Amino acid sequence: MLFLRYNHLVFPFLLINFVFISHQLIEAQTLIDPAFDQSLSPFGSQAGRGSFLGRCIENDDGATFTVRNNCSFTVWAAAIPSGGQRLHSGEAWNLKLPFGAVGRVWGRTNCSFDSSERGNCETGDCGGVLQCQSSGAPPNTLVDFALNQYNNQDFFRVSLVEGFNIPIEFKPTSNECSQSVRCAADINKQCPTKLKAAGGCNNPCTVFGTSEYCCGNSSRSCEATAFSKFFKERCPDALSYPADDTATKFTCLGKTNYDVVFCPFRP
Ligand SMILES: *[C@@H]1O[C@H](CO)[C@@H](O)[C@H](O)[C@H]1NC(C)=O
Ligand SMILES: *[C@@H]1O[C@H](CO)[C@@H](O)[C@H](O)[C@H]1NC(C)=O
Ligand SMILES: *[C@@H]1O[C@H](CO)[C@@H](O)[C@H](O)[C@H]1NC(C)=O
């Protein structure tokens, strides 16, 4: 929400971003909960607003994410905000994330793009473009993050609510923060038959579309299922269904830099 407020105050012409990224902000709300409630609400206290402006004036210049492809195959990295890049095995992509950025990073597999950067991917495709501006099609393992939020902390987690395609790790590389999180189990090989998808393992909401699995699209009103437990047993720290309150929420001080590693262990 701070990101929004920033747009509102400083770049009114970017208000269109509100509509564009609103579903990610809703996700971010669950990410930074319970801290979210008061001070981060758009209707929050003047005190919150004042301290935010204070931080603006410090002229923060954001964080760097280094996305590394440690898989034996090519991965088309995707990030919102930022876009996308093809990474052959061993290659890396440096992203500059702006102050207060709220978004996600994931990997796409088996893509083909033409010279105008249009095409498609077997997993994680974002509307057929190399430079992603919207979330990827399931299945894809993702990291969602909200930088410089409550108490100037970064919040992040690994999420399996879009299913799983490749193992992923998110790890801080500065500020002496050691809160790395990963989901590196071989979920594709063990995927329940009903969830199997080309190149990955779907989340049951994608397959069945019922409120039992999708939580009626609200993050507060459903329970673990046999399918969500399948993911939880393999990646205990990750978000296994929309209302999974056992998902560990990780934090580092704002302005920490991070590595995003695809295949922290080669599958
Ligand atoms: C890409 O597709 C080929 C052929 O369908 C398949 O054998 C291979 O495992 C896929 N690669 C990845 C990384 O999913
Ligand atoms: C959740 O939202 C999607 C897209 O808005 C919709 O297609 C789906 O039916 C909804 N599912 C439930 C259970 O409300
Ligand atoms: C890449 O994978 C190898 C195993 O093949 C592992 O030893 C190494 O630590 C991984 N690198 C990263 C950056 O995770």
Side-chain angles (χ1 to χ4, degrees), residues 68 70 169 171 261 263-266:
R68 300 179 186 281
N70 197 39
E169 177 171 39
K171 63 178 176 196
V261 184
C263 305
F265 301 115
R266 286 181 196 243

Side-chain angles (χ1 to χ4, degrees), residues 10-195:
V10 187
F11 299 120
F13 57 90
L14 285 181
L15 261 181
I16 187 72
N17 276 358
F18 178 77
V19 178
F20 183 60
I21 61 175
S22 60
H23 79 276
Q24 276 155 31
L25 289 172
I26 291 164
E27 268 187 16
Q29 207 164 321
T30 70
L31 174 58
I32 61 181
D33 216 22
F36 179 78
D37 300 340
Q38 259 290 345
S39 54
L40 295 177
S41 130
F43 311 108
S45 66
Q46 285 299 320
R49 183 160 302 196
S51 67
F52 172 69
L53 276 176
R55 274 182 271 143
C56 257
I57 290 160
E58 286 166 27
N59 189 25
D60 283 85
D61 50 6
T64 301
F65 286 12
T66 304
V67 185
R68 300 179 186 281
N69 180 13
N70 197 39
C71 303
S72 55
F73 46 86
T74 301
V75 174
W76 285 258
I80 293 175
S82 287
Q85 177 146 320
R86 183 186 66 196
L87 297 176
H88 291 308
S89 181
E91 289 182 341
W93 177 37
N94 279 318
L95 311 182
K96 276 280 178 200
L97 275 300
F99 181 87
V102 174
R104 55 170 64 187
V105 186
W106 72 100
R108 294 168 286 176
T109 56
N110 265 342
C111 304
S112 98
F113 291 105
D114 64 20
S115 54
S116 60
E117 301 191 341
R118 299 195 159 269
N120 59 73
C121 302
E122 186 174 65
T123 63
D125 189 58
C126 60
V129 292
L130 176 62
Q131 303 296 336
C132 291
Q133 299 183 345
S134 59
S135 301
N140 66 83
T141 326
L142 67 98
V143 171
D144 61 357
F145 59 85
L147 306 181
N148 317 94
Q149 303 288 327
Y150 179 74
N151 271 348
N152 196 31
Q153 291 181 103
D154 296 345
F155 294 78
F156 52 92
R157 70 186 164 194
V158 170
S159 168
L160 300 173
V161 299
E162 308 268 23
F164 180 99
N165 62 345
I166 49 180
I168 203 165
E169 177 171 39
F170 192 70
K171 63 178 176 196
T173 55
S174 68
N175 275 347
E176 294 181 2
C177 191
S178 56
Q179 302 228 14
S180 46
V181 54
R182 63 161 53 167
C183 176
D186 193 358
I187 286 180
N188 289 347
K189 279 222 179 81
Q190 302 163 357
C191 187
T193 310
K194 285 182 174 164
L195 302 184

Side-chain angles (χ1 to χ4, degrees), residues 228-243:
S228 74
K229 286 174 187 161
F230 163 80
F231 289 103
K232 199 78 205 171
E233 278 161 16
R234 283 151 187 87
C235 286
D237 289 331
L239 189 72
S240 63
Y241 67 101

